[in-house]
Amino acid sequence: MSATIIDGKAIGQAVNMDTQLEVAELMKQGVQPGLAVVLIGEDPASQVYVNMKDKKCRELGIYSDKRVLPRDATMERVLALIDELNHDPRVHGILVQSPPPPQIDEERVIAAIDPAKDVDCFHELNVGKLLIGKTDGFRPCTPAGVLEILARSGVDPAGRHAVIIGRSNIVGKPLAAMLMQKARGANATVTVVHSGTPDPARYTRDADILIAALGKPEFIKGEMIKPGAVVIDVGINRIPDPSRPSGTRLVGDVEFESAREVASMITPVPGGVGPLTIAMLMRNTVAACRRALAGGARC
């Protein structure tokens, strides 16, 4: 058996097309959704991510406000900028690129963002709403992308055993909360495997849906996967590869070649979950704009 390869790029494009139509509808009402992305410092990887988000905004018709602060920016300067963006009616979503320089307290920055503009769903108010199943907050982008992949691939988690490897605040924890909700596209029985779990293969071999998000290259081998399982690889790791001009290549947390011989469906790296993360960020920005409009805000 060789697994069906899930085309995350195509799914991301489909989501973006839906978002573009929503933006066009809002523009007819004289409203343009807006996203502000804040970058502190000049980390090359962060610059790439910020530029990708800025480009996608412009492609979809979303107003993009890219702010770059020097690496030595103070907390006071960062918080002042967040306050400015909180009160800017053109901006419906605010994202601060992570990780910031060491002098910046990331938790304080997140707490300073207006929860109504927290399109990354990192603010504790939105995280709390997510946990208890309220739908008037936001869904974090990468976990929402995973659920979108499952839905558009015809995979219903209801009644199935979903095993998540990794307990980060960005992916593992929120994804577990989302999958266990009594809601459409969820209702799974969820197990979270982490660094403190003895014999993780004991759990991964029982997973109908296996989601790897631990940040260890090719940690999950084919023998750790239940035959016929759906495998979603959230990881993205750069490893040495002398055969490539760059001397490196990207791999996920799953050993793709061995896993595809066991799984029924699998996401590749790159081209799997990655495109959905930005697509869901754009979707959240439009949702924030609609809520602001419904609340009578001047957009």
Side-chain angles (χ1 to χ4, degrees):
M1 177 176 68
S2 186
T4 298
I5 310 301
I6 298 173
D7 189 345
K9 185 176 180 180
I11 294 173
Q13 288 173 340
V15 172
N16 286 329
M17 286 179 65
D18 293 343
T19 299
Q20 193 169 32
L21 290 173
E22 283 198 70
V23 172
E25 182 183 329
L26 285 165
M27 293 284 278
K28 289 178 183 177
Q29 302 175 48
V31 178
Q32 183 181 24
L35 175 67
V37 180
V38 178
L39 173 62
I40 308 165
E42 299 179 353
D43 176 74
S46 293
Q47 284 183 320
V48 169
Y49 289 131
V50 166
N51 288 337
M52 287 170 61
K53 292 162 186 172
D54 178 66
K55 180 182 178 183
K56 187 57 65 179
C57 280
R58 297 178 190 281
E59 287 176 1
L60 301 181
I62 295 171
Y63 166 67
S64 176
D65 187 352
K66 183 174 74 171
R67 302 292 188 98
V68 181
L69 296 178
R71 180 173 176 79
D72 61 356
T74 63
M75 272 297 301
E76 289 72 20
R77 184 171 181 185
V78 174
L79 293 176
L81 175 57
I82 297 300
D83 184 64
E84 175 191 332
L85 296 172
N86 280 340
H87 291 91
D88 188 339
R90 299 171 301 172
V91 172
H92 303 98
I94 300 170
L95 181 153
V96 179
Q97 186 64 39
S98 183
Q103 80 276 12
I104 301 301
D105 184 337
E106 191 167 15
E107 288 189 10
R108 282 185 64 195
V109 172
I110 292 169
I113 296 172
D114 181 348
K117 297 188 177 188
D118 170 42
V119 288
D120 247 349
C121 190
F122 288 163
H123 193 285
E124 59 187 23
L125 179 62
N126 285 321
V127 173
K129 287 182 176 183
L130 179 76
L131 184 62
I132 63 176
K134 296 191 74 172
T135 58
D136 61 338
F138 296 101
R139 300 199 305 170
C141 301
T142 299
V146 170
L147 295 193
E148 193 74 21
I149 285 173
L150 293 176
R152 293 193 184 237
S153 300
V155 179
D156 186 357
R160 305 178 81 174
H161 185 197
V163 175
I164 302 167
I165 310 167
R167 55 180 168 182
S168 73
N169 290 334
I170 297 174
V171 181
K173 289 179 185 177
L175 183 55
M178 292 162 72
L179 278 168
M180 71 173 67
Q181 295 299 329
K182 189 176 182 180
R184 185 178 180 182
N187 270 313
T189 298
V190 181
T191 298
V192 178
V193 173
H194 48 75
S195 58
T197 304
D199 189 17
R202 169 188 170 192
Y203 302 95
T204 61
R205 291 194 194 103
D206 190 53
D208 302 307
I209 302 171
L210 180 61
I211 303 161
L214 70 160
K216 291 187 177 181
E218 301 182 320
F219 179 83
I220 303 298
K221 314 296 183 185
E223 63 266 21
M224 298 172 69
I225 299 170
K226 178 181 179 179
V230 176
V231 177
I232 308 295
D233 191 351
V234 181
I236 182 162
N237 311 280
R238 191 171 294 278
I239 64 171
D241 186 347
S243 69
R244 302 289 181 93
S246 66
T248 63
R249 63 186 171 93
L250 293 177
V251 298
D253 292 345
V254 177
E255 188 180 70
F256 185 79
E257 293 303 327
S258 64
R260 72 184 298 187
E261 298 304 316
V262 184
S264 62
M265 306 175 78
I266 188 170
T267 58
V269 175
V273 176
L276 270 299
T277 298
I278 292 181
M280 304 315 286
L281 174 65
M282 301 297 124
R283 175 184 281 184
N284 279 353
T285 300
V286 173
C289 177
R290 285 194 178 279
R291 290 173 188 170
L293 191 62
R298 182 173 59 86
C299 297

